[in-house]
Amino acid sequence: WDMHGDLIVRTGIIMTPYFPLRNILRGMQICFTNDRLAIDTLKVVSGKSTIEAKGELTGLRRALAGSGRNRSGRSALNLDIDIRTDRMDANEILTAYKAGSEFNPEAAKDKMAEATNAEFLQMVISDTAAAGKDAGLLVIPGNINADISLSGKDITWSDLEISDLNASLLMKERCVQITNTSASTNMGDISLDAFYSTRTKKDLKTGFSISFKDITA
């Protein structure tokens, strides 16, 4: 089948246990075919964070057909996206990602099937709070190749308060390379290049080159 179309949403709510936060759409415009999804506009308030994105997701046809598999045995999707934020709680975002990756639909289907929208939303938010008690392992998806440009202000990560951030991320086969990173924080200025790999839960690798300027400890 060949298909093409547009999806335009002025405002909405996204509730999913795979990313268990209160996600409010403030505008979305997407063009799609059976092989490409182009994000012209996407504005989301996710928990305490405000995120804007523009880019494209390609390789849908091969992924659906199961062809072009990578070393993980999956057909990879290709994501090229620019992300901008004026406020991000990275701790909350990473905790929600961890909770979603551990969600078991079989164990929760009976409880969630009988829930109202408000009850369902409270369940997924509670799952995020519970996951936050244990940092756990951040596993990189094996079925996405990504080229991400990130810029933001007012970012909280661990105990850092970041007033300005710019970074580039390349992701492939459960590996992430972070380059050209510069950040102004409450402890000084930082520049960073880094690598993080989670090929399996027993095969973890990381390395980084980091420079500090005007650091206060």
Side-chain angles (χ1 to χ4, degrees):
W1 288 13
D2 286 325
M3 63 180 181
H4 60 85
D6 301 287
L7 177 62
I8 300 172
V9 179
R10 293 181 60 187
T11 186
I13 299 175
I14 302 173
M15 295 185 293
T16 169
Y18 292 101
F19 194 74
L21 289 175
R22 186 185 300 273
N23 303 299
I24 310 298
L25 272 177
R26 296 300 188 195
M28 180 177 72
Q29 184 169 345
I30 293 175
C31 305
F32 63 87
T33 67
N34 59 337
D35 191 53
R36 176 176 177 268
L37 188 150
I39 303 170
D40 295 322
T41 303
L42 178 62
K43 298 179 181 179
V44 180
V45 178
S46 186
K48 301 173 185 176
S49 305
T50 301
I51 300 169
E52 297 183 26
K54 184 175 183 179
E56 66 175 6
L57 182 67
T58 58
L60 300 176
R61 182 188 295 115
R62 296 177 70 183
L64 292 173
S67 60
R69 297 181 184 273
N70 58 20
R71 275 190 277 177
S72 67
R74 302 179 182 181
S75 299
L77 299 169
N78 300 303
L79 177 66
D80 189 343
I81 193 166
D82 294 327
I83 300 174
R84 180 179 178 275
T85 177
D86 290 326
R87 171 68 186 122
M88 177 182 286
D89 187 332
N91 299 322
E92 185 181 58
I93 294 288
L94 292 172
T95 300
Y97 174 81
K98 175 182 178 292
S101 67
E102 296 179 351
F103 174 70
N104 184 345
E106 288 300 317
K109 65 180 182 180
D110 293 336
K111 179 175 66 174
M112 288 190 168
E114 299 175 356
T116 64
N117 282 348
E119 291 170 340
F120 179 86
L121 185 59
Q122 188 56 48
M123 286 178 195
V124 298
I125 291 175
S126 297
D127 287 344
T128 304
K133 298 175 183 178
D134 178 15
L137 171 69
L138 180 64
V139 178
I140 307 301
N143 61 335
I144 297 179
N145 299 330
D147 187 345
I148 303 170
S149 176
L150 175 64
S151 62
K153 299 179 179 180
D154 192 11
I155 299 170
T156 301
W157 180 50
S158 187
D159 293 327
L160 280 180
E161 297 293 335
I162 303 171
S163 58
D164 190 64
L165 171 70
N166 290 280
S168 299
L169 292 83
L170 290 174
M171 184 168 69
K172 186 175 183 179
E173 295 182 357
R174 299 195 184 279
C175 301
V176 171
Q177 183 181 17
I178 305 170
T179 58
N180 303 318
T181 302
S182 60
S184 298
T185 79
N186 57 338
M187 61 178 260
D189 295 338
I190 299 171
S191 60
L192 170 73
D193 292 315
F195 174 83
Y196 177 63
S197 168
T198 57
R199 293 191 183 277
T200 70
K201 290 186 177 181
K202 294 184 178 181
D203 181 11
L204 310 179
K205 294 181 176 70
T206 187
F208 58 89
S209 172
I210 187 168
S211 299
F212 300 97
K213 181 180 179 182
D214 297 331
I215 290 297
T216 299

PDB file of all heavy atoms in Angstrom, residues 59-70 73-76:
ATOM      1  N   GLY A  59      12.515   4.915   7.140  1.00  0.00           N
ATOM      2  CA  GLY A  59      12.745   3.475   7.217  1.00  0.00           C
ATOM      3  C   GLY A  59      11.549   2.694   7.700  1.00  0.00           C
ATOM      4  O   GLY A  59      11.680   1.526   8.073  1.00  0.00           O
ATOM      5  N   LEU A  60      10.374   3.314   7.687  1.00  0.00           N
ATOM      6  CA  LEU A  60       9.178   2.635   8.192  1.00  0.00           C
ATOM      7  C   LEU A  60       8.826   1.407   7.352  1.00  0.00           C
ATOM      8  O   LEU A  60       8.432   0.370   7.890  1.00  0.00           O
ATOM      9  CB  LEU A  60       7.988   3.609   8.212  1.00  0.00           C
ATOM     10  CG  LEU A  60       8.142   4.857   9.078  1.00  0.00           C
ATOM     11  CD1 LEU A  60       6.928   5.766   8.905  1.00  0.00           C
ATOM     12  CD2 LEU A  60       8.311   4.477  10.540  1.00  0.00           C
ATOM     13  N   ARG A  61       8.965   1.510   6.034  1.00  0.00           N
ATOM     14  CA  ARG A  61       8.587   0.395   5.161  1.00  0.00           C
ATOM     15  C   ARG A  61       9.439  -0.842   5.460  1.00  0.00           C
ATOM     16  O   ARG A  61       8.923  -1.950   5.609  1.00  0.00           O
ATOM     17  CB  ARG A  61       8.745   0.808   3.699  1.00  0.00           C
ATOM     18  CG  ARG A  61       8.317  -0.276   2.708  1.00  0.00           C
ATOM     19  CD  ARG A  61       8.668   0.086   1.275  1.00  0.00           C
ATOM     20  NE  ARG A  61       7.939   1.241   0.808  1.00  0.00           N
ATOM     21  CZ  ARG A  61       8.500   2.408   0.483  1.00  0.00           C
ATOM     22  NH1 ARG A  61       9.808   2.573   0.620  1.00  0.00           N
ATOM     23  NH2 ARG A  61       7.775   3.411   0.036  1.00  0.00           N
ATOM     24  N   ARG A  62      10.761  -0.645   5.578  1.00  0.00           N
ATOM     25  CA  ARG A  62      11.642  -1.788   5.838  1.00  0.00           C
ATOM     26  C   ARG A  62      11.403  -2.358   7.230  1.00  0.00           C
ATOM     27  O   ARG A  62      11.479  -3.571   7.436  1.00  0.00           O
ATOM     28  CB  ARG A  62      13.098  -1.351   5.685  1.00  0.00           C
ATOM     29  CG  ARG A  62      13.451  -0.919   4.283  1.00  0.00           C
ATOM     30  CD  ARG A  62      14.881  -0.428   4.192  1.00  0.00           C
ATOM     31  NE  ARG A  62      15.831  -1.521   4.354  1.00  0.00           N
ATOM     32  CZ  ARG A  62      17.140  -1.358   4.374  1.00  0.00           C
ATOM     33  NH1 ARG A  62      17.658  -0.153   4.269  1.00  0.00           N
ATOM     34  NH2 ARG A  62      17.942  -2.389   4.518  1.00  0.00           N
ATOM     35  N   ALA A  63      11.128  -1.484   8.209  1.00  0.00           N
ATOM     36  CA  ALA A  63      10.882  -1.960   9.565  1.00  0.00           C
ATOM     37  C   ALA A  63       9.613  -2.801   9.634  1.00  0.00           C
ATOM     38  O   ALA A  63       9.575  -3.847  10.283  1.00  0.00           O
ATOM     39  CB  ALA A  63      10.784  -0.782  10.520  1.00  0.00           C
ATOM     40  N   LEU A  64       8.562  -2.363   8.944  1.00  0.00           N
ATOM     41  CA  LEU A  64       7.309  -3.106   8.952  1.00  0.00           C
ATOM     42  C   LEU A  64       7.435  -4.420   8.186  1.00  0.00           C
ATOM     43  O   LEU A  64       6.807  -5.419   8.534  1.00  0.00           O
ATOM     44  CB  LEU A  64       6.189  -2.252   8.358  1.00  0.00           C
ATOM     45  CG  LEU A  64       5.757  -1.035   9.187  1.00  0.00           C
ATOM     46  CD1 LEU A  64       4.777  -0.177   8.409  1.00  0.00           C
ATOM     47  CD2 LEU A  64       5.140  -1.480  10.496  1.00  0.00           C
ATOM     48  N   ALA A  65       8.276  -4.410   7.134  1.00  0.00           N
ATOM     49  CA  ALA A  65       8.449  -5.619   6.329  1.00  0.00           C
ATOM     50  C   ALA A  65       9.464  -6.571   6.939  1.00  0.00           C
ATOM     51  O   ALA A  65       9.581  -7.726   6.520  1.00  0.00           O
ATOM     52  CB  ALA A  65       8.886  -5.235   4.917  1.00  0.00           C
ATOM     53  N   GLY A  66      10.252  -6.075   7.927  1.00  0.00           N
ATOM     54  CA  GLY A  66      11.240  -6.916   8.582  1.00  0.00           C
ATOM     55  C   GLY A  66      12.517  -7.094   7.791  1.00  0.00           C
ATOM     56  O   GLY A  66      13.304  -7.999   8.071  1.00  0.00           O
ATOM     57  N   SER A  67      12.775  -6.217   6.799  1.00  0.00           N
ATOM     58  CA  SER A  67      14.000  -6.316   6.007  1.00  0.00           C
ATOM     59  C   SER A  67      15.039  -5.333   6.519  1.00  0.00           C
ATOM     60  O   SER A  67      14.739  -4.456   7.324  1.00  0.00           O
ATOM     61  CB  SER A  67      13.695  -6.020   4.530  1.00  0.00           C
ATOM     62  OG  SER A  67      13.175  -4.708   4.388  1.00  0.00           O
ATOM     63  N   GLY A  68      16.278  -5.469   6.045  1.00  0.00           N
ATOM     64  CA  GLY A  68      17.341  -4.539   6.431  1.00  0.00           C
ATOM     65  C   GLY A  68      17.685  -4.617   7.906  1.00  0.00           C
ATOM     66  O   GLY A  68      17.860  -3.605   8.563  1.00  0.00           O
ATOM     67  N   ARG A  69      17.797  -5.821   8.444  1.00  0.00           N
ATOM     68  CA  ARG A  69      18.032  -5.973   9.872  1.00  0.00           C
ATOM     69  C   ARG A  69      19.476  -5.601  10.249  1.00  0.00           C
ATOM     70  O   ARG A  69      20.407  -5.834   9.498  1.00  0.00           O
ATOM     71  CB  ARG A  69      17.744  -7.416  10.304  1.00  0.00           C
ATOM     72  CG  ARG A  69      16.299  -7.825  10.101  1.00  0.00           C
ATOM     73  CD  ARG A  69      16.046  -9.245  10.571  1.00  0.00           C
ATOM     74  NE  ARG A  69      14.678  -9.649  10.292  1.00  0.00           N
ATOM     75  CZ  ARG A  69      13.664  -9.427  11.102  1.00  0.00           C
ATOM     76  NH1 ARG A  69      13.868  -8.772  12.228  1.00  0.00           N
ATOM     77  NH2 ARG A  69      12.452  -9.819  10.799  1.00  0.00           N
ATOM     78  N   ASN A  70      19.611  -5.048  11.453  1.00  0.00           N
ATOM     79  CA  ASN A  70      20.945  -4.739  11.970  1.00  0.00           C
ATOM     80  C   ASN A  70      21.460  -5.896  12.802  1.00  0.00           C
ATOM     81  O   ASN A  70      20.867  -6.962  12.846  1.00  0.00           O
ATOM     82  CB  ASN A  70      20.922  -3.422  12.773  1.00  0.00           C
ATOM     83  CG  ASN A  70      19.946  -3.481  13.935  1.00  0.00           C
ATOM     84  OD1 ASN A  70      19.558  -4.556  14.387  1.00  0.00           O
ATOM     85  ND2 ASN A  70      19.537  -2.332  14.426  1.00  0.00           N
ATOM     86  N   GLY A  73      19.316  -7.893  15.113  1.00  0.00           N
ATOM     87  CA  GLY A  73      18.248  -8.711  14.547  1.00  0.00           C
ATOM     88  C   GLY A  73      16.988  -7.942  14.258  1.00  0.00           C
ATOM     89  O   GLY A  73      15.965  -8.526  13.914  1.00  0.00           O
ATOM     90  N   ARG A  74      17.049  -6.605  14.367  1.00  0.00           N
ATOM     91  CA  ARG A  74      15.861  -5.787  14.139  1.00  0.00           C
ATOM     92  C   ARG A  74      16.072  -4.871  12.943  1.00  0.00           C
ATOM     93  O   ARG A  74      17.199  -4.515  12.614  1.00  0.00           O
ATOM     94  CB  ARG A  74      15.563  -4.929  15.371  1.00  0.00           C
ATOM     95  CG  ARG A  74      15.361  -5.716  16.652  1.00  0.00           C
ATOM     96  CD  ARG A  74      15.094  -4.772  17.801  1.00  0.00           C
ATOM     97  NE  ARG A  74      14.931  -5.470  19.066  1.00  0.00           N
ATOM     98  CZ  ARG A  74      14.681  -4.864  20.210  1.00  0.00           C
ATOM     99  NH1 ARG A  74      14.577  -3.550  20.267  1.00  0.00           N
ATOM    100  NH2 ARG A  74      14.542  -5.558  21.319  1.00  0.00           N
ATOM    101  N   SER A  75      14.981  -4.484  12.303  1.00  0.00           N
ATOM    102  CA  SER A  75      15.042  -3.501  11.241  1.00  0.00           C
ATOM    103  C   SER A  75      15.095  -2.117  11.873  1.00  0.00           C
ATOM    104  O   SER A  75      14.218  -1.743  12.641  1.00  0.00           O
ATOM    105  CB  SER A  75      13.820  -3.620  10.330  1.00  0.00           C
ATOM    106  OG  SER A  75      13.781  -4.900   9.734  1.00  0.00           O
ATOM    107  N   ALA A  76      16.128  -1.369  11.557  1.00  0.00           N
ATOM    108  CA  ALA A  76      16.355  -0.101  12.238  1.00  0.00           C
ATOM    109  C   ALA A  76      15.565   1.031  11.586  1.00  0.00           C
ATOM    110  O   ALA A  76      15.460   1.118  10.361  1.00  0.00           O
ATOM    111  CB  ALA A  76      17.840   0.231  12.244  1.00  0.00           C
TER     112      ALA A  76
END
